[in-house]
Amino acid sequence: MADQAVQASIELPNKAYLLPEAIPMWPPVWWSWLILAALLICIAYGAVYFYRRHKQRIYRREARALLKNRADDLSDKEVILLCHETIRRCLISEGAVIKAALPSPELFNTLDKDLSSKHQFALLGDIFINGQYRPHIELDSEQRKQILKTTDYWVRSHHA
């Protein structure tokens, strides 16, 4: 009785329209599998690429850790030698053996071409470039800090 009262009170004016049945969401269209496969292949390729890049650049992390951990215990000349050795080892790790074999003044002039003017080795002065050949070197704390900072910047950002 209640149903008849509801039907009698609600009369829709347009009874001639037929609504279609709901379109199912599954299974999706055939080409959605191709898009899903392409997406998964791209994700796998990206993961492999970033893993390889991470493994290839492990020497940078080790060199930066070496600079941070050992620099406090070394004398001024040994700090300069450590920086030179770290730079040359990084070049060798990147496959730039010929560049690593250059004499110090020529090497640092070459490396300065790729660095911004704010972080160049030439700004450290002759004491850094030729310091490994001098018998006695004394650096103040600011020079020592700047040498380590510039070397760390180069190790972090170089592309041999």
Side-chain angles (χ1 to χ4, degrees), residues 34 39 57 62 102 123 150:
L34 296 176
L39 183 65
R57 294 184 177 187
E62 291 174 354
L102 292 173
L123 298 175
T150 303

Side-chain angles (χ1 to χ4, degrees), residues 9-158:
S9 66
I10 301 176
E11 287 291 326
L12 296 175
N14 299 323
K15 294 181 180 180
Y17 293 114
L18 296 175
L19 297 175
E21 293 182 26
I23 299 172
M25 292 302 293
W26 195 261
V29 292
W30 66 271
W31 47 264
S32 62
W33 294 112
L34 296 176
I35 292 174
L36 181 64
L39 183 65
L40 291 176
I41 289 171
C42 288
I43 289 172
Y45 176 76
V48 168
Y49 172 77
F50 283 116
Y51 178 74
R52 284 177 139 181
R53 183 176 175 194
H54 179 75
K55 292 289 278 182
Q56 286 175 346
R57 294 184 177 187
I58 197 166
Y59 74 91
R60 290 183 187 201
R61 291 185 296 279
E62 291 174 354
R64 291 183 72 204
L66 180 71
L67 284 174
K68 287 180 183 176
N69 295 337
R70 286 197 45 209
D72 295 335
D73 303 335
L74 301 175
S75 68
D76 292 337
K77 184 172 182 170
E78 289 172 339
V79 167
I80 292 174
L81 286 171
L82 176 67
C83 291
H84 282 240
E85 180 182 340
T86 303
I87 290 169
R88 291 180 190 276
R89 283 185 174 193
C90 287
L91 287 169
I92 290 169
S93 295
E94 282 284 326
V97 179
I98 295 173
K99 193 184 277 188
L102 292 173
S104 293
E106 194 175 328
L107 171 67
F108 291 114
N109 285 336
T110 305
L111 296 179
D112 280 345
K113 292 176 185 174
D114 297 333
L115 291 173
S116 65
S117 60
K118 183 175 153 182
H119 297 286
Q120 290 187 347
F121 291 108
L123 298 175
L124 301 175
D126 188 55
I127 199 162
F128 174 73
I129 295 173
N130 294 317
Q132 64 183 353
Y133 305 115
R134 296 183 183 172
H136 302 289
I137 295 175
E138 289 190 24
L139 300 172
D140 60 16
S141 63
E142 185 60 35
Q143 284 177 319
R144 186 179 176 118
K145 181 179 163 187
Q146 192 62 31
I147 286 171
L148 290 170
K149 183 179 174 184
T150 303
T151 305
D152 184 61
Y153 175 80
W154 182 83
V155 168
R156 188 179 36 151
S157 63
H158 81 279

